[in-house]
């Protein structure tokens, strides 16, 4: 079996690349050549810019793949380009969408693939919805062999999943925990969230590859473990050997004052409880089962980040902003109590 991965070195796709090689697939990656130093032996690498359609067409001329997986398309123009490129070149095209495309809060606490797609807070999610629409039209009208996959919050050992962070990832939050400084949690921390380890996600994804029952279908792949944000932060603290000091702040307030895109990531996603019904992926891929509990995943992340300096990205700007938010709210509390 032959696979072409567009990207192939990100949080999700790197685990898929490794698993495909383990299963004996012939794997070709096409990307701009960044972060390819950790690719498993035997992977073919084609360095090209997908935005240069003519260059890619020439590079792939005469080739055929059982599955093409697109990890780095974000707007309709990019999937329209892919339809032109890969029609007749592949038996299956998998598009990575996003579970942030689901309308939240949902009418039912369980999210299924039939849940309405709508996100007024996040352009990223609206673009993914538009991409899905283009691809499903191509499937219905022209038989383009698409499968849509919607990941939720998927992580690997290089970055602990956190709700409120800065531009440099989660390391600064871990530092605040170790220093005994309060860490900001959106809302009251009781909304439910789902995080999925990338190696578990890869099992479901690879099971969809070459799967005729997945054609024309949209599927989300997530863990069945639902945790409150308080539990997520506390699990990270235990992995660090500390009890974190949690400071709860309204998601609306954070989105209105932050220099970061919390409008989309919080109001459009992480501030609302999500529980996923994974019966569809389990029906399509019977072997799919998430085996990494988050407390275990948190320890894997902390151990890896402690031993890999490149993952320990300091973020003094975010650290100072957290202090400013907390100090401002504490002053407001004090002033109101004194009145």
């Amino acid at each position: 079996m032959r696979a072409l991965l567009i990207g192939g070195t990100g949080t999700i796709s790197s685990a898929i690349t490794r698993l495909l090689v383990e299963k004996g697939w012939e794997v070709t990656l096409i990307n701009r050549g960044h972060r390819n130093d950790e690719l498993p032996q035997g992977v073919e690498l084609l360095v090209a810019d997908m935005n240069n359609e003519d260059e890619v067409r020439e590079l792939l001329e005469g080739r055929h793949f059982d599955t093409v997986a697109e990890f780095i398309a974000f707007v309709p123009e990019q999937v329209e380009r892919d339809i032109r490129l890969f029609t007749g070149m592949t038996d299956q095209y998998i598009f990575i969408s996003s579970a942030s495309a689901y309308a939240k809060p949902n009418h039912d606490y369980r999210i299924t693939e039939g849940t309405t797609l709508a996100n007024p807070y996040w352009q990223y999610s609206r673009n993914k919805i538009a991409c899905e629409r283009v691809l499903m039209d191509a499937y219905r009208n022209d038989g383009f062999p698409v499968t849509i996959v919607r990941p939720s919050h998927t992580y690997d050992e290089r970055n602990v999943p956190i709700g409120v962070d800065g531009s440099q990832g989660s390391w600064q939050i871990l530092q605040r925990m170790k220093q005994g400084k309060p860490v900001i949690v959106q809302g009251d921390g009781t909304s439910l969230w789902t995080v999925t380890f990338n190696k578990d996600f890869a099992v479901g994804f690879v099971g969809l590859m070459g799967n005729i029952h997945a054609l024309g279908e949209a599927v989300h792949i997530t863990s069945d473990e639902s945790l409150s944000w308080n539990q997520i932060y506390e699990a990270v603290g235990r992995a660090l050997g500390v009890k974190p000091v949690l400071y709860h702040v309204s998601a609306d307030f954070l989105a209105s004052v932050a220099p970061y895109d919390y409008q989309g990531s919080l109001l459009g996603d992480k501030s609302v409880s999500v529980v996923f019904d994974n019966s569809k992926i389990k029906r399509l891929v019977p072997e799919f089962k998430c085996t990494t509990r988050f407390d275990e995943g948190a320890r894997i992340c902390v151990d890896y980040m402690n031993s890999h300096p490149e993952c320990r990205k300091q973020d003094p700007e975010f650290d100072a902003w957290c202090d400013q938010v907390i100090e401002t709210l504490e002053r407001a509390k004090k002033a109101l109590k004194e009145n």
Side-chain angles (χ1 to χ4, degrees), residues 47-250:
V47 177
D49 181 357
M50 282 299 297
N51 294 313
N52 189 333
E53 186 174 339
D54 291 337
E55 176 192 13
V56 174
R57 180 178 291 106
E58 182 178 352
L59 191 64
L60 298 176
E61 185 176 3
R63 305 185 67 166
H64 187 275
F65 300 94
D66 295 284
T67 300
V68 171
E70 170 64 91
F71 295 93
I72 54 175
F74 303 100
V75 295
E77 292 78 12
Q78 292 171 321
V79 296
E80 289 167 353
R81 171 207 65 207
D82 285 358
I83 292 170
R84 292 191 297 269
L85 280 170
F86 298 117
T87 294
M89 191 186 295
T90 186
D91 299 324
Q92 181 188 37
Y93 171 93
I94 302 183
F95 172 66
I96 307 301
S97 185
S98 171
S100 68
Y102 290 122
K104 305 182 188 77
N106 187 24
H107 298 302
D108 189 300
Y109 76 94
R110 295 160 300 186
I111 291 179
T112 73
E113 285 80 2
T115 296
T116 300
L117 301 182
N119 191 327
Y121 298 102
W122 208 354
Q123 186 63 48
Y124 164 81
S125 306
R126 294 195 295 275
N127 286 340
K128 288 289 190 179
I129 294 170
C131 289
E132 289 195 24
R133 188 178 300 118
V134 168
L135 289 164
M136 290 308 295
D137 283 346
Y139 171 77
R140 286 187 287 263
N141 297 329
D142 304 309
F144 186 70
V146 65
T147 298
I148 292 169
V149 172
R150 299 173 184 145
S152 187
H153 197 160
T154 308
Y155 69 102
D156 66 5
E157 65 276 5
R158 295 174 289 191
N159 205 16
V160 178
I162 292 293
V164 180
D165 58 10
S167 60
Q168 300 300 315
S170 60
W171 179 251
Q172 196 64 51
I173 293 92
L174 272 60
Q175 290 300 98
R176 290 183 69 88
M177 288 184 182
K178 290 167 66 176
Q179 295 163 4
K181 299 176 70 174
V183 292
I184 294 175
V185 181
Q186 73 275 14
D188 63 2
T190 61
S191 61
L192 296 176
W193 193 243
T194 301
V195 291
T196 308
F197 198 57
N198 68 339
K199 291 182 180 179
D200 290 332
F201 179 94
V203 174
F205 190 96
V206 170
L208 293 175
M209 296 178 66
N211 187 332
I212 60 171
H213 303 291
L215 297 180
E217 299 291 338
V219 190
H220 54 238
I221 304 175
T222 79
S223 170
D224 288 323
E225 183 182 27
S226 296
L227 298 163
S228 72
W229 279 106
N230 288 338
Q231 290 174 316
I232 289 173
Y233 279 80
E234 287 162 0
V236 174
R238 284 195 297 274
L240 289 168
V242 301
K243 182 173 179 57
V245 180
L246 307 185
Y247 194 91
H248 298 102
V249 182
S250 159

Side-chain angles (χ1 to χ4, degrees), residues 4 28-32 44-48 59-60 63 65:
L4 173 67
T28 300
L29 268 56
I30 184 168
N31 57 42
R32 292 184 176 181
E44 178 189 23
L45 175 63
L46 303 177
V47 177
L59 191 64
L60 298 176
R63 305 185 67 166
F65 300 94

